[in-house]
């Protein structure tokens, strides 16, 4: 069955009836603004400004109920921009009080600002009205409430991103420190993240600390922090390089303090990353279908956790293409008459989900025989460019993940063999 986005758009429009009070909320840090319209876009009631706390939320609910009873509506639907993290508490509070909550794309809100009054003016009251208009026209997406396990994965993977950035930053700064103080260091240790390199930086950070030592002294120092060391040959080379180093010999004490703090940051980020990844493994085990998805050769726990953390329960998607739209990986075309514009990815979706789908596909192309064969067939037989082939396989991965999650079935390699082995 082919998936048609237009069918979904029609359903969104048809869902808003004359019985609906359509509410738009402009989200801010401290004060939100709400406006209401009917299904034709006629303004209902006066604007409401309310605080970002329980009393403010209760005043919004009272305002909605008053308009429903006054204008003989039967239900309400509330739309809002997913602005930063300020919208989360309000959306969950309304959802718990049985109010339908939807989101609108902030980019589209900006595009639609002039539809109401044909001016470029901007205000919180006008923005709330624009959001309400977009909802009644069907330009909205439902908030998909996630269970505890998926919410936990989302928080853990978001935290992991922050830790990885800190870890990479500390490694880059250690590399810079080595370039300034002991540039010959990499002739012995290619990877400054290795145990031997880190141990040497802790024990003998500057060339002056090594120049007066014997190789056995270096070996004895290594043995205090690691059972297996680099060997006496590397210790000898390290000392000789230190004696002829061109690194800076000024402000040695300040450089040592700087390196000590960088190594502390490196240790902290490394320990936190290990703890986060352990928690991710535990959270994945609480989701029923993850064991089947992890059975796909090439899918790692981190990639799967990143996808599930951003997408939520994959069984809730109607089709793999819905997951692609959620990630902003659907195609956008600009053409008019005889002029045909370039078809590009819209990138109107979750950037972290795009990243993990891409990384998972790259891993599958390298490690999974079926995906590797499909990529080879695309490139060598169909003469498709490599990046375009990767994008096609991301779509196949999305459909595969959604299908397996919806049916709770195991991975079947034969279903991916869409061509004969001879043609490949």
């Amino acid at each position: 069955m082919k998936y048609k986005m237009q069918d979904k758009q029609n359903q969104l429009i048809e869902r808003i009836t004359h019985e609906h009070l359509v509410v738009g909320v402009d989200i801010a840090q401290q004060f939100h603004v709400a406006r209401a319209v009917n299904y034709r876009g006629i303004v209902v009631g006066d604007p409401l400004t309310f605080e970002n706390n329980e009393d403010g939320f209760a005043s919004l609910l009272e305002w909605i109920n008053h308009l429903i009873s006054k204008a003989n509506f039967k239900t309400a639907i509330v739309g809002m921009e997913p602005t930063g993290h300020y919208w989360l508490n309000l959306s969950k509070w309304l959802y718990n009080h049985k109010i339908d909550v939807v989101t609108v794309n902030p980019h589209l809100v900006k595009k639609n600002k002039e539809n109401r009054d044909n001016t470029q003016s901007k205000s919180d009251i006008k923005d709330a009205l624009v959001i309400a208009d977009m909802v009644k026209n069907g330009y909205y997406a439902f908030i998909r409430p996630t269970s505890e396990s998926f919410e936990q994965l989302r928080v853990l993977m978001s935290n992991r991103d922050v830790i990885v950035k800190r870890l990479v930053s500390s490694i880059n700064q250690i590399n810079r420190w080595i370039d300034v103080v002991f540039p010959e260091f990499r002739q012995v240790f290619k990877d400054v993240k290795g145990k031997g390199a880190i141990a040497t930086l802790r024990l003998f950070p500057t060339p002056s600390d090594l120049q007066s030592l014997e190789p056995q002294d270096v070996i004895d120092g290594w043995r205090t922090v690691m059972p297996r060391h680099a060997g006496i040959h590397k210790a000898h080379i390290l000392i000789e390089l230190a004696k002829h180093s061109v690194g800076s010999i000024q402000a040695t004490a300040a450089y040592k303090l700087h390196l000590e703090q960088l190594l502390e940051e490196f240790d902290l980020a490394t320990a936190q990353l290990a703890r986060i990844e352990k928690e991710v493994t535990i959270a994945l085990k609480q989701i029923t279908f993850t064991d089947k998805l992890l059975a796909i050769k090439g899918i790692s726990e981190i990639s799967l956790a990143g996808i599930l953390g951003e997408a939520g329960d994959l069984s809730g998607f109607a089709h793999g293409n819905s997951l692609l739209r959620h990630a902003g990986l659907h195609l956008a075309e600009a053409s008019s008459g005889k002029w045909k514009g370039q078809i590009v990815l819209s990138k109107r979706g979750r950037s972290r989900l795009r990243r993990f789908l891409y990384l998972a596909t790259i891993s599958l192309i390298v490690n999974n025989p079926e995906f590797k064969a499909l990529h080879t067939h695309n490139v060598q037989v169909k003469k498709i460019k490599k990046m375009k082939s990767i994008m096609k396989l991301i779509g196949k991965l999305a459909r595969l993940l959604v299908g397996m999650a919806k049916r709770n079935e195991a991975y079947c390699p034969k279903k991916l063999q869409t061509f004969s082995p001879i043609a490949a």
Side-chain angles (χ1 to χ4, degrees), residues 90-258:
L90 176 59
S91 64
K92 291 179 180 178
W93 192 90
L94 289 172
Y95 180 81
N96 292 334
H97 284 76
K98 311 301 181 184
I99 300 293
D100 287 338
V101 184
V102 296
T103 59
V104 297
N105 192 315
H107 184 80
L108 291 181
V109 174
K110 186 176 180 180
K111 294 271 189 182
N112 283 274
K113 282 192 188 301
E114 298 187 19
N115 288 352
R116 262 286 166 175
D117 53 11
N118 196 29
T119 69
Q120 63 271 35
S121 62
K122 181 188 184 305
S123 67
D124 294 343
I125 293 177
K126 179 179 176 181
D127 287 350
L129 190 57
V130 172
I131 292 170
D133 280 340
M134 290 180 60
V135 173
K136 65 97 176 171
N137 288 329
Y139 300 116
Y140 62 88
F142 282 101
I143 294 176
R144 304 174 65 251
T146 57
S147 64
E148 179 72 19
S149 299
F150 293 103
E151 182 73 9
Q152 188 175 5
L153 281 177
R154 185 186 66 81
V155 175
L156 288 173
M157 293 307 294
S158 177
N159 191 15
R160 182 182 181 275
D161 275 0
V162 175
I163 295 172
V164 168
K165 288 179 182 178
R166 286 177 32 228
L167 179 60
V168 171
S169 176
S170 65
I171 293 171
N172 290 340
Q173 291 183 71
I174 290 173
N175 274 298
R176 179 192 177 278
W177 188 96
I178 291 172
D179 290 336
V180 174
V181 179
F182 196 177
E184 298 82 6
F185 186 83
R186 289 194 189 83
Q187 296 183 34
V188 179
F189 299 104
K190 303 295 184 184
D191 183 10
V192 298
K193 305 188 300 296
K195 292 183 179 179
I198 294 296
T200 304
L201 290 173
R202 293 185 200 280
L203 298 168
F204 323 107
T206 63
S208 60
D209 294 323
L210 288 163
Q211 290 170 357
S212 60
L213 298 179
E214 296 295 329
Q216 189 59 44
D217 298 328
V218 178
I219 295 294
D220 293 340
W222 283 342
R223 283 175 176 168
T224 61
V225 293
M226 56 182 182
R228 297 182 63 183
H229 53 78
I232 195 166
H233 178 64
K234 283 194 173 182
H236 177 75
I237 296 175
L238 191 65
I239 293 172
E240 291 301 315
L241 291 172
K243 291 179 179 178
H244 302 91
S245 176
V246 296
S248 175
I249 58 175
Q250 294 180 320
T252 303
Y255 275 118
K256 284 185 177 181
L257 177 60
H258 185 205

Side-chain angles (χ1 to χ4, degrees), residues 5-22:
M5 186 58 200
Q6 187 59 48
D7 294 341
K8 180 181 178 182
Q9 187 64 34
N10 290 340
Q11 292 170 6
L12 293 175
I13 297 172
E14 292 169 354
R15 194 179 188 281
I16 307 299
T17 67
H18 66 280
E19 298 178 345
H20 278 88
L21 175 71
V22 184

